[in-house]
Amino acid sequence: MLPYVMVPEPNDSNTKVLNDAFFAAMSAENPRAAIQALLASLGKAYGTKRAYVYLLPPKGTEFLCANEWCAPGIEPMSDVTHGLTMDMASRWFGDGEPRSLLAIRKLDLVPSFNKDYASLFGPRGMKSQILGKLLRGNKPMGTLGFDDPDPNRFDELCKLMYPICAFATSTVNTQNLLDRMRTVGLVDELTRAGTRIGFYQKAENLPAHLPVGVAYLDVAGLQGFNNVRSHKSGDELLVGIRQILATEFQDDQVFRMSGDEFLVFAQGIPEILFKSAMERIKSKLDELSVYVALGMSWHSSIGDDYEAIVRQCWLACSNAKHEWERRGGKRLGDDTDDDKRLASPHTPSSSELFDTHLHLPCYEGEDFFNHLNVWLAHLETKRVGLAAFDINYFKLYNDIYGREAGDMLLETYAKALQRLATISHGVAGYLGGDNFCIAFPVDDTLEPTRLVEKVEVQISKHAVAEGFSPAIGLVLTNNFDLGTNVLYDRALVALNRVKGDYTNHVALYDEQRRERDRENQLLLIEAQNALSNGEFTFYLQPKVDINSNKVVSAEALVRWFHEGKIISPAQFVGLMEKSGHIFALDRHIWESVCAWQRSIINRGLKPVPVSVNVSRVDFYFDDLATHFVNLVKRYGIEPRLLGIEITESAYSEDENLIEGVITKLRDAGFRVLMDDFGTGYSSLNMLRSVTIDALKMDKGFIDHANIQDGSDAIIESVIRMAHRLGIPVISEGVETEEQCDSLRVMACDYVQGYYFYRPMPIAEFERLLTTDSKDQP
Ligand code: C2E
Ligand code: MG
Ligand code: MG
């Protein structure tokens, strides 16, 4: 007999529904999306109108809607029904039954015995409701509810509320933890200046066109100061320097880059103000008993390489320090008895610079960089790898397990890194906080991806604390002239990409990718501003009847007018889709098109249908059918004047959702066009399952056509098949007369392309409108 049995999933319907909902939630990208998936799954299964979670912010007194799911056609209520207050909730939460439900089978009976409840939930216009508690300890954290479940399944849903609420509570807790973690590590605990990582995070997101004043400061005498006074005084000194800087610059412009180095990165400051602020700072620093080396510069724009600016200042700062040392720079305690201590064979170890009680088996601080330079100078291989290493959420680890445990974790990692360094003939070092660095020779033939894999393997071997795994940024180079500081900075840039990531631990520095990422990031920021500045408008590209050559309709194509140039959608539509900003842009274009159609009608011109583009992402932001219905209602235009182009690849993503929307749109009188036909995968099958009003054949078909005797076999069969289903075909991207002639032979109905018209400004299109219109595609 087998020592185990396989237990199949229970098939009673409630358990199955619950399991499905949990699975849907667990495959979501983040906790917030998980709750949404949970609500949608349960909302649908129990035939409810709405499912939602309201949360009480930690110091708030009013519950706010965090998630709401609505059945198709049901209006969301999240805007209307804010206002469940702590005061009202505490009567329910404090009813002595920690997990009790509020289950109202017939809401119309409620006003007679609870007026508060009735006035709060009355506006939801529902007949029944189930509300469960989400608890933080025994205190209210939020509530999860369903409106109008299927009356026959009301009791079943009530029973499931306990596991549902438990799951939701734990998911909300995870979200809260993640929210908290996101801010950890960005601010230096001692001085309250930003950290090095905080700096990179900020700098990556700054618009390139801003002017900037930059100053790099190095507290040259800190070692001596610590030695002569105490570490406590050293700490006070650092806090004091940060305060001096804060008298002239904002909190988010001052960073502590390492033990004794500060950076001022003041964006948006005019040159004259920066220089006078730095003059005042210099005179205050001169009064200190330590020497602070300073390098600074002002730039009319940050440009596309902020690191170069920082490096330049760092270099100026380090030259100033060397010059001061060369001139026999005096430190605190020189010319006094303390002199002897400083001059004595005991030079303070750099561990004292960072942390007095850690005894790590690797080099520390400056020592590490000194050894690294020597090591590089004697290296026989042509390539090195340098990895910056930090521990995810280390500060949180300290908070949870205590400082000693934190130190032990550092020691464990230091030992592991040192062992790796020994084995690989490299150098390992500790750079303060939870930052380590290791450099090692890399074989010329080793593929970078293979190296990343190898490092991942090492991490899984050495990841000692669950959830507090290291994040690693890796630079691979044969250009040793860059200098170790630059290499380390680059490794930190790569590290930023995986910091806080539970699944990817290693990121490789890639100059091109970083450039691209940064440019994209800047473009996205600009696009958001552009939206509020009204820089987006649309051009119209006519669609022409292939037999009569007459304009029958047009497509609206977004155009971004930015700093005197037109930016093409290819540059920003994809980016905005990825970041979720596309919906705001599309809404703006749809609305502008409707407003324009209205103005055409008002001016007595004859309107033609104009189609707008819908991104696949838009489907997840709103109930599009309701959105479009409301839109045309608002502008008083007929739905047939608004065509809706849905790109073919959207169909394959969530067929049910998209087919549902298309059906509703067509029922409401809109014309739905399948855009870019031929670029997706399931084109042919799709045409059978969803009814559309026109098919737009992608430009690729025409570009790759193999025209023989005036016809191309593939194009012809697509057109024939569409016609068999009663769907007219528009050919996109028609550029020549020959293409147009063959398409006519192949019975294509309409063409859109440069051969007839390029996309044109609205005014130009209006002049064309005098031409008679024909059947619409
Ligand atoms: P699409 O919807 O397939 O639009 C057709 C694209 O082909 C347009 O490019 C148009 O200018 C171009 N085109 C038309 N005829 C010719 C031709 O004969 N030769 C060539 N080479 N190109 C031709 P555009 O305006 O750059 O738009 C590119 C894509 O960006 C659009 O492809 C659409 O997917 C997207 N897009 C444009 N406007 C919007 C918008 O408002 N919202 C969303 N979500 N996407 C948009
Ligand atoms: Mg289109
Ligand atoms: Mg297209």
Side-chain angles (χ1 to χ4, degrees):
M1 205 173 80
L2 284 171
Y4 56 80
V5 286
M6 306 295 272
V7 181
E9 192 181 359
N11 61 1
D12 77 278
S13 78
N14 288 323
T15 315
K16 179 124 187 37
V17 166
L18 195 61
N19 282 351
D20 286 349
F22 286 168
F23 275 114
M26 285 180 317
S27 3
E29 248 177 21
N30 55 52
R32 228 162 248 140
I35 300 234
Q36 193 66 22
L38 179 82
L39 295 176
S41 180
L42 292 166
K44 272 184 224 158
Y46 286 93
T48 70
K49 277 194 192 149
R50 290 181 206 94
Y52 39 85
V53 166
Y54 279 69
L55 294 178
L56 183 67
K59 290 197 181 97
T61 53
E62 194 171 296
F63 288 70
L64 300 178
C65 184
N67 290 81
E68 181 177 36
W69 169 87
C70 295
I74 300 295
E75 284 282 320
M77 294 296 293
S78 50
D79 297 341
V80 190
T81 52
H82 279 174
L84 172 61
T85 60
M86 193 43 226
D87 180 42
M88 289 174 72
S90 57
R91 274 178 261 157
W92 169 34
F93 277 88
D95 65 0
E97 291 289 336
R99 287 178 292 190
S100 67
L101 296 178
L102 211 54
I104 314 258
R105 211 182 278 279
K106 277 199 183 324
L107 198 77
D108 43 359
L109 301 180
V110 172
S112 56
F113 61 88
N114 189 337
K115 287 211 171 54
D116 279 356
Y117 177 89
S119 66
L120 184 62
F121 289 103
R124 298 186 76 88
M126 69 216 168
K127 298 191 182 63
S128 67
Q129 186 186 37
I130 305 176
L131 283 178
K133 292 174 180 174
L134 310 185
L135 295 160
R136 187 182 284 125
N138 272 335
K139 297 207 182 82
M141 175 165 87
T143 153
L144 181 153
F146 296 97
D147 289 355
D148 290 327
D150 176 352
N152 298 326
R153 307 191 64 191
F154 191 90
D155 293 337
E156 293 167 23
L157 182 54
C158 281
K159 273 194 208 140
L160 292 190
M161 283 303 275
Y162 299 100
I164 294 169
C165 288
F167 184 90
T169 306
S170 128
T171 312
V172 170
N173 278 335
T174 310
Q175 179 68 51
N176 289 344
L177 184 67
L178 284 178
D179 287 346
R180 252 177 51 216
M181 282 176 170
R182 225 159 264 141
T183 58
V184 167
L186 300 182
V187 174
D188 174 49
E189 283 187 351
L190 172 67
T191 62
R192 308 310 298 163
T195 58
R196 180 185 268 269
I197 299 290
F199 166 68
Y200 282 103
Q201 204 167 81
K202 172 186 157 156
E204 290 283 335
N205 293 320
L206 284 175
H209 66 269
L210 289 182
V212 67
V214 182
Y216 209 100
L217 297 89
D218 185 333
V219 190
L222 188 65
Q223 288 182 26
F225 190 91
N226 276 338
N227 237 18
V228 174
R229 301 266 178 89
S230 64
H231 275 270
K232 189 157 171 287
S233 316
D235 285 354
E236 282 164 10
L237 176 73
L238 291 170
V239 172
I241 293 176
R242 148 81 172 66
Q243 276 164 358
I244 292 175
L245 297 173
T247 55
E248 301 286 346
F249 299 104
Q250 292 160 19
D251 279 358
D252 66 343
Q253 297 180 325
V254 178
F255 302 88
R256 184 175 174 203
M257 301 300 272
S258 73
D260 56 357
E261 290 172 1
F262 287 90
L263 170 72
V264 171
F265 198 86
Q267 76 280 9
I269 191 171
E271 184 171 16
I272 183 152
L273 293 187
F274 177 69
K275 289 200 163 145
S276 60
M278 285 312 298
E279 277 310 312
R280 288 188 291 275
I281 283 181
K282 252 199 290 197
S283 64
K284 284 182 193 154
L285 294 176
D286 282 346
E287 288 167 17
L288 296 175
S289 40
V290 292
Y291 170 72
V292 181
L294 185 64
M296 61 177 174
S297 60
W298 182 90
H299 305 256
S300 57
S301 70
I302 296 175
D304 52 9
D305 194 356
Y306 67 85
E307 283 171 280
I309 298 179
V310 173
R311 241 174 356 250
Q312 187 190 335
C313 287
W314 170 79
L315 208 64
C317 170
S318 107
N319 286 341
K321 184 173 158 188
H322 288 145
E323 180 57 24
W324 170 80
E325 280 170 348
R326 206 177 51 78
R327 283 192 274 108
K330 290 191 187 305
R331 301 167 190 230
L332 177 90
D334 288 0
D335 305 327
T336 70
D337 286 350
D338 296 323
D339 204 10
K340 294 189 189 80
R341 282 177 64 183
L342 280 175
S344 76
H346 168 77
T347 343
S349 99
S350 53
S351 75
E352 285 171 73
L353 229 169
F354 295 102
D355 222 331
T356 44
H357 53 279
L358 280 174
H359 298 288
L360 301 180
C362 53
Y363 298 115
E364 296 179 30
E366 280 305 312
D367 263 4
F368 167 68
F369 282 108
N370 293 337
H371 275 93
L372 186 59
N373 282 322
V374 174
W375 177 82
L376 272 175
H378 292 89
L379 199 66
E380 282 174 6
T381 54
K382 292 204 192 76
R383 274 207 304 182
V384 291
L386 181 139
F389 173 114
D390 92 14
I391 304 168
N392 282 324
Y393 310 123
F394 178 65
K395 295 226 164 68
L396 201 71
Y397 188 90
N398 271 335
D399 284 353
I400 299 174
Y401 300 107
R403 178 88 198 222
E404 263 176 38
D407 288 350
M408 272 164 65
L409 187 65
L410 290 178
E411 275 175 36
T412 314
Y413 275 125
K415 273 187 203 144
L417 281 179
Q418 185 52 47
R419 214 164 35 238
L420 282 175
T422 312
I423 296 168
S424 65
H425 305 289
V427 217
Y430 172 64
L431 300 174
D434 59 345
N435 299 301
F436 293 88
C437 184
I438 176 168
F440 43 88
V442 177
D443 199 81
D444 278 350
T445 55
L446 187 71
E447 283 291 317
T449 46
R450 183 76 193 97
L451 178 64
V452 170
E453 282 165 22
K454 280 183 155 193
V455 177
E456 280 278 6
V457 169
Q458 289 300 333
I459 291 172
S460 54
K461 268 195 210 156
H462 294 285
V464 285
E466 191 74 30
F468 297 89
S469 52
I472 292 177
L474 199 58
V475 190
L476 205 56
T477 187
N478 51 15
N479 180 3
F480 302 168
D481 295 339
L482 285 172
T484 47
N485 272 299
V486 174
L487 287 178
Y488 181 62
D489 278 350
R490 290 190 173 180
L492 285 177
V493 169
L495 187 143
N496 244 348
R497 289 216 311 273
V498 280
K499 194 150 171 56
D501 189 328
Y502 284 109
T503 42
N504 299 309
H505 300 101
V506 189
L508 194 62
Y509 178 85
D510 169 350
E511 185 71 49
Q512 283 164 355
R513 181 194 153 130
R514 200 178 67 84
E515 253 329 288
R516 228 176 24 240
D517 281 357
R518 183 177 351 175
E519 279 167 14
N520 287 345
Q521 191 64 35
L522 294 176
L523 197 71
L524 253 185
I525 294 172
E526 287 182 32
Q528 285 166 57
N529 294 335
L531 202 54
S532 39
N533 295 342
E535 291 179 19
F536 287 105
T537 181
F538 61 91
Y539 270 21
L540 288 162
Q541 187 177 30
K543 297 177 196 173
V544 175
D545 181 312
I546 201 166
N547 295 312
S548 67
N549 287 0
K550 282 192 175 150
V551 174
V552 289
S553 61
E555 174 176 9
L557 294 157
V558 63
R559 292 294 178 266
W560 178 5
F561 289 87
H562 187 55
E563 295 172 351
K565 287 180 301 202
I566 301 187
I567 306 184
S568 125
Q571 281 185 53
F572 58 86
V573 166
L575 269 182
M576 291 179 86
E577 282 181 337
K578 259 195 221 140
S579 66
H581 292 94
I582 193 71
F583 184 57
L585 173 64
D586 279 344
R587 240 180 5 199
H588 168 72
I589 298 293
W590 305 337
E591 174 126 20
S592 314
V593 169
C594 288
W596 172 74
Q597 288 282 41
R598 180 73 256 161
S599 85
I600 287 281
I601 300 168
N602 289 351
R603 283 179 283 151
L605 288 166
K606 188 161 183 292
V608 293
V610 169
S611 56
V612 294
N613 287 284
V614 167
S615 156
R616 60 194 171 75
V617 181
D618 295 331
F619 286 89
Y620 300 95
F621 274 86
D622 202 354
D623 172 2
L624 286 189
T626 315
H627 186 98
F628 278 112
V629 168
N630 291 339
L631 189 62
V632 289
K633 221 187 266 170
R634 197 144 23 95
Y635 285 92
I637 56 174
E638 291 172 62
R640 68 162 191 95
L641 289 179
L642 197 66
I644 290 159
E645 298 199 3
I646 303 175
T647 178
E648 189 217 273
S649 53
Y651 292 76
S652 40
E653 284 207 350
D654 189 339
E655 279 174 39
N656 292 341
L657 170 74
I658 289 171
E659 284 180 22
V661 175
I662 292 177
T663 309
K664 278 211 257 166
L665 283 170
R666 296 190 69 245
D667 288 349
F670 294 98
R671 304 179 60 76
V672 176
L673 297 85
M674 182 185 283
D675 202 357
D676 310 319
F677 180 84
T679 53
Y681 297 104
S682 46
S683 330
L684 299 175
N685 283 335
M686 217 136 47
L687 282 183
R688 294 203 173 85
S689 60
V690 56
T691 318
I692 48 157
D693 297 283
L695 182 153
K696 298 188 71 179
M697 205 161 48
D698 190 67
K699 183 172 183 300
F701 277 101
I702 275 290
D703 288 347
H704 302 115
N706 179 14
I707 309 239
Q708 311 245 324
D709 301 328
S711 147
D712 169 273
I714 301 175
I715 298 181
E716 201 173 359
S717 62
V718 168
I719 296 176
R720 200 174 321 121
M721 182 189 58
H723 283 174
R724 214 176 292 150
L725 294 165
I727 306 172
V729 176
I730 304 164
S731 191
E732 291 187 291
V734 176
E735 293 180 344
T736 66
E737 188 174 0
E738 293 77 53
Q739 289 174 338
C740 193
D741 288 343
S742 346
L743 284 164
R744 195 176 298 112
V745 170
M746 291 186 272
C748 178
D749 305 273
Y750 305 95
V751 290
Q752 177 185 348
Y754 295 173
Y755 173 57
F756 283 105
Y757 303 100
R758 287 180 176 252
M760 59 182 76
I762 299 165
E764 204 174 309
F765 183 77
E766 286 182 0
R767 286 197 284 278
L768 262 185
L769 269 189
T770 42
T771 323
D772 275 344
S773 55
K774 265 202 105 203
D775 292 338
Q776 315 142 7

